Amino acid sequence: MSEASSRPLNPPTAYGDLNGELPAYVSNGLIGLRVRPLALRAGMALVSGYSGEHPVRRIEAAANAPYPLAADVCLGGAWLSDADTAVSDLQQDYDFGSGELTSRFQAKLGGRDAHIAVLTFCSRHDPTLACQEIAVTSSSGGELALRATIDARGADGHLVREGRGTPGEDAPAVDGTLLWMSGGALSTCGLASVASVKGGDFGDPARPAFQYGQFHAEFRGRVRAAQTVRLRQIVSLVPHVMHATPDQHAARLAAKAADDGFDALRAANRAMWDELWKGRIRLLGASERWQGLADAAVFYLNCSAHRASPASTSIFGLATWHDYHYYYGHVMWDIEAFAVPPLCLLQPDAARSFLDYRSRSLEGARNNARLFGRKGLQFPWESAPRSGEESAPVPGTAAWHEDHVSLDVAHAFALHAWLTADEEFLRAWAWPVLSGVADWITSRVTRTARGYEIGASMGIAEREEPVENAAFTNMAAAVVLRDAINAAERLGRSSNGAWSEIAEQMFLPRRGSAVISHDGYRRDEEKGGTPDPLMGIFPFGYRLSPEHEAATLQFYLAQAESYIGSPMLSALYGAWAARLGDRRQALRLLEEGYGKFIQGRFLQTLEYRADRFPEQPRAGPFFANIGGFLTGLLFGFTGLRPGPGEAFDWVECDASLPKGWRGIDVERLWLGGQPVSLSARHGARPKIRPLSDEESEP
């Protein structure tokens, strides 16, 4: 593939302050930063697996860590942090191709003018590292002071210990270390920093003790007029869940990073992104705008996922901001249902790390089932990052009835086993989850004259009251039971005979030929337009007869205007319309259900469509919407239906694309542990082609 086709389109330059928009989100899947337009000021930082007690809700939640990449500049004796009006011409550019954010501004300090450019990235090659380079070009010569700062003033919790020297060594290996305890003393995070200056006449930095919530390394020197000086900061952040003494191990990793050098770290990060962008989804015939939205979706999903992630990710990745709860950083069903499917093709190791988190939390799921008086595994509705236990805010009404989360988790394990063809994963990791959830289903259903039913449940629409036989829950239960039966057959294990009986006789509420959301469903009820059954058809894979599928699709597509703009399912409307062959409707609903969710700087996908829900905070990037869009591109429009058997047999129908789109191409996806290319043309069977060694090389 040519350079032009493998490089993503970058979002437009952002000018000025936020003005109500979200700040830039920079992440590598282990560390997530919110970087302000004035990038030297502390934003917000999350670290996967680092959690604490929420100060209001008193539940386990993702905890704000000390911000690793704050800084300050002093010209003519005046510090930028003390001069609120000194800054002008703020602008930021995001290079999606490398994950690098560049912030620029002018500063007038101490009678001198300076141009300041700040390069920020979180390393994909070395995932504990947050890196920044600050280039200061002063209009006149004289003294210059620079501070590299870890700023803990916005962090939850307190300092446990700090270190400046290196025990047993004459010279310090790093500028300093911090061990930070989260609120409620639930976990700790270690930080270690190294900083250096290039250009000018600077000596060793001063390293004052931690005070007033900040940890500095301060450089002082002299520069010539128009000379550029570069302050380089490298900070390692290690959560306790990954190391018993995280501050010490952060020091080891920061010292190694200093030895490797900033330029080498930057080059390695860029090389990793070059590899990821071989999975660019090219939309042939689509507008440049739609290609840009697809590139942004691939970028944000990939930047929030890494094989190093110890605690999956939240439905906003590792992004948070002070004006919204961001669901407390909990791991929810949206990740397995919407993010895991495209990640299995684009970055399967990262998808595996998300599922590993669930595997490490099996005892919590087992205890959760016991606490409800059920068998097997019942995964929490809002899973805490550290413990994997239920952490929904009390009274936890959604956790009472949202049973489908266990089904979403189990099906994601089956999907990963199919897409990777990893028999060891199926045996050691997927089977315990599939069999445990299948056993849970047997204790959740009730046998009636109509078949097997699930009472007092809730589908995807979170209503005030539970319903009988939520269609998506019942459909998903049947799919998971068949997943478990198939896994047992492949592994030569015996399966519970009840699994097959329940799967075949699971009751679905219907109106004529259409499956409806639940018993007693009314179009005018609360959230009546929620297309729960369509999620059961695609992407979950419940098979209806062609007549019943078409009737169900038509029933809910006719009500799209009453739902679209809400989170999660809106992004799938285009793919559902394409299943009916209505290309014009597919393009329109793709715009209504995804395109209009993207507003503000750097193409962040919001949770709610702002024009439909102006009262909702603007929160993003929201991964249910992003993952749903990418699932539609990779599986829905192309006609790929993963399942047991060979990947090349998964093409069951011709590709059906939105009006004007000619095709969808991906240079490299991963199937069965091997690189393949995907080429789908409207009206034709998509082609999956294995790549040769030469084609798949970096």
Side-chain angles (χ1 to χ4, degrees):
M1 180 177 282
S2 69
E3 176 71 14
S5 61
S6 62
R7 294 290 295 178
L9 300 176
N10 289 324
T13 299
Y15 295 96
D17 219 328
L18 292 176
N19 296 319
E21 296 179 334
L22 290 167
Y25 167 57
V26 178
S27 181
N28 61 8
L30 182 63
I31 303 164
L33 306 178
R34 284 290 198 186
V35 183
R36 296 178 184 272
L38 182 53
L40 305 189
R41 291 183 179 170
M44 298 183 76
L46 296 181
V47 181
S48 180
Y50 174 62
S51 63
E53 183 180 84
H54 190 270
V56 176
R57 289 291 195 167
R58 301 300 179 190
I59 56 175
E60 184 186 338
N64 294 327
Y67 189 77
L69 297 178
D72 208 351
V73 175
C74 178
L75 289 169
W79 287 97
L80 185 63
S81 57
D82 295 327
D84 291 337
T85 61
V87 172
S88 62
D89 298 331
L90 287 166
Q91 69 178 69
Q92 287 182 307
D93 290 285
Y94 214 147
D95 180 6
F96 282 172
S98 63
E100 295 179 353
L101 177 74
T102 300
S103 311
R104 299 179 179 86
F105 58 91
Q106 299 294 128
K108 190 174 185 64
L109 288 168
R112 293 160 63 185
D113 295 321
H115 175 75
I116 300 176
V118 185
L119 172 76
T120 308
F121 67 92
C122 293
S123 173
R124 290 204 63 84
H125 187 271
D126 298 273
T128 74
L129 302 182
C131 305
Q132 188 160 275
E133 179 184 81
I134 302 164
V136 181
T137 307
S138 176
S139 61
S140 56
E143 292 185 355
L144 172 66
L146 301 166
R147 283 179 183 161
T149 302
I150 296 175
D151 194 333
R153 290 176 295 180
D156 305 317
H158 63 275
L159 178 68
V160 176
R161 64 171 175 255
E162 64 174 299
R164 281 301 194 181
T166 300
E169 297 290 334
D170 294 334
V174 295
D175 288 320
T177 61
L178 296 178
L179 182 64
W180 195 264
M181 176 75 75
S182 66
L186 293 188
S187 64
T188 59
C189 179
L191 300 93
S193 63
V194 291
S196 62
V197 172
K198 291 188 66 177
D201 183 15
F202 290 81
D204 292 334
R207 302 183 180 97
F210 179 87
Q211 57 182 330
Y212 307 121
Q214 294 182 309
F215 202 52
H216 297 304
E218 183 176 311
F219 298 83
R220 288 185 175 272
R222 296 188 64 83
V223 296
R224 301 184 305 274
Q227 182 180 16
T228 298
V229 174
R230 302 178 188 277
L231 171 64
R232 290 176 163 181
Q233 302 166 266
I234 303 170
V235 181
S236 175
L237 298 92
V238 176
H240 181 266
V241 71
M242 299 183 80
H243 200 281
T245 53
D247 54 336
Q248 292 180 10
H249 200 55
R252 297 181 185 102
L253 295 173
K256 177 185 181 298
D259 187 67
D260 291 340
F262 189 94
D263 291 333
L265 295 174
R266 186 181 182 191
N269 176 66
R270 284 175 162 261
M272 295 287 283
W273 272 108
D274 286 345
E275 276 294 292
L276 286 177
W277 279 114
K278 289 184 177 181
R280 187 189 186 207
I281 302 170
R282 296 178 60 213
L283 308 180
L284 308 182
S287 67
E288 184 175 274
R289 173 175 172 271
W290 272 112
Q291 182 62 65
L293 298 187
D295 289 344
V298 170
F299 173 76
Y300 282 118
L301 182 64
N302 275 320
C303 82
S304 294
H306 199 286
R307 60 179 170 232
S309 168
S312 186
T313 197
S314 85
I315 52 176
F316 293 94
L318 291 169
T320 188
W321 198 231
H322 55 73
D323 61 351
Y324 192 48
H325 54 67
Y326 278 77
Y327 297 95
Y328 313 104
H330 292 158
V331 182
M332 301 178 73
W333 72 280
D334 313 60
I335 295 303
E336 282 79 19
F338 298 103
V340 165
L343 274 177
C344 285
L345 297 180
L346 297 168
Q347 200 186 157
D349 287 349
R352 170 67 185 270
S353 76
F354 289 179
L355 301 178
D356 284 348
Y357 162 78
R358 294 293 192 179
S359 292
R360 290 194 297 273
S361 307
L362 287 189
E363 193 58 29
R366 189 170 288 109
N367 287 333
N368 197 39
R370 289 169 177 156
L371 291 167
F372 278 92
R374 297 168 185 155
K375 298 192 296 185
L377 302 174
Q378 181 172 338
F379 286 93
W381 178 241
E382 296 192 35
S383 186
R386 176 186 60 91
S387 67
E389 296 174 348
E390 181 63 70
S391 293
V394 176
T397 50
W400 300 348
H401 303 293
E402 292 275 9
D403 299 303
H404 66 83
V405 60
S406 297
L407 310 172
D408 296 298
V409 172
H411 186 57
F413 274 83
L415 185 68
H416 187 72
W418 299 335
L419 290 168
T420 61
D422 187 339
E423 290 294 317
E424 179 60 21
F425 173 82
L426 178 66
R427 182 192 66 79
W429 302 93
W431 172 251
V433 173
L434 287 166
S435 59
V437 173
D439 284 340
W440 171 80
I441 294 170
T442 67
S443 66
R444 184 64 180 88
V445 298
T446 301
R447 184 75 169 94
T448 72
R450 298 193 297 183
Y452 285 92
E453 304 188 35
I454 297 178
S457 185
M458 196 173 292
I460 294 169
E462 297 178 26
R463 299 181 172 92
E464 290 295 324
E465 298 294 333
V467 298
E468 302 298 302
N469 293 308
F472 174 70
T473 302
N474 290 21
M475 296 165 87
V479 170
V480 168
L481 288 168
R482 293 183 179 117
D483 291 342
I485 293 167
N486 173 265
E489 292 173 351
R490 287 175 59 179
L491 295 170
R493 296 176 181 265
S494 59
S495 61
N496 186 334
W499 296 354
S500 178
E501 180 179 330
I502 295 169
E504 295 305 317
Q505 299 182 43
M506 182 65 72
F507 174 75
L508 292 183
R510 298 176 187 266
R511 184 164 299 166
S513 296
V515 176
I516 56 176
S517 290
H518 57 83
D519 283 350
Y521 165 80
R522 305 187 321 275
R523 287 178 185 255
D524 62 352
E525 69 185 19
E526 178 195 8
K527 300 184 179 181
T530 305
D532 307 52
L534 302 194
M535 177 75 180
I537 295 170
F538 174 80
F540 217 85
Y542 187 90
R543 290 185 180 271
L544 292 171
S545 69
E547 174 194 353
H548 290 174
E549 177 177 319
T552 306
L553 286 164
Q554 290 164 353
F555 185 87
Y556 281 99
L557 289 178
Q559 302 181 68
E561 291 305 313
S562 68
Y563 178 87
I564 212 159
S566 299
M568 297 179 294
L569 302 188
S570 290
L572 293 168
Y573 272 99
W576 291 330
R579 290 181 78 92
L580 289 175
D582 190 338
R583 302 186 70 191
R584 186 181 300 275
Q585 181 84 324
L587 184 63
R588 185 184 73 81
L589 291 178
L590 195 61
E591 174 64 30
E592 296 291 319
Y594 188 72
K596 291 184 178 180
F597 280 78
I598 300 169
Q599 294 186 3
R601 54 182 62 208
F602 307 130
L603 303 179
Q604 295 186 59
T605 304
L606 302 183
E607 179 184 9
Y608 288 88
R609 227 177 83 178
D611 61 331
R612 290 288 183 96
F613 297 92
E615 75 283 3
Q616 292 289 342
R618 297 193 175 191
F622 190 68
F623 284 89
N625 297 341
I626 291 172
F629 172 55
L630 293 176
T631 295
L633 294 182
L634 291 171
F635 297 98
F637 294 129
T638 63
L640 295 182
R641 186 187 181 118
E646 294 295 324
F648 300 97
D649 297 329
W650 293 347
V651 178
E652 63 176 12
C653 62
D654 294 343
S656 180
L657 305 181
K659 183 175 177 59
W661 294 19
R662 299 191 310 275
I664 295 176
D665 281 357
V666 186
E667 176 190 4
R668 188 190 67 191
L669 297 172
W670 295 96
L671 283 175
Q674 301 298 320
V676 302
S677 66
L678 171 67
S679 179
R681 297 292 180 271
H682 176 73
R685 293 295 170 105
K687 298 177 182 178
I688 300 172
R689 182 176 66 86
L691 298 180
S692 66
D693 292 341
E694 292 76 13
E695 289 175 307
S696 61
E697 285 178 355

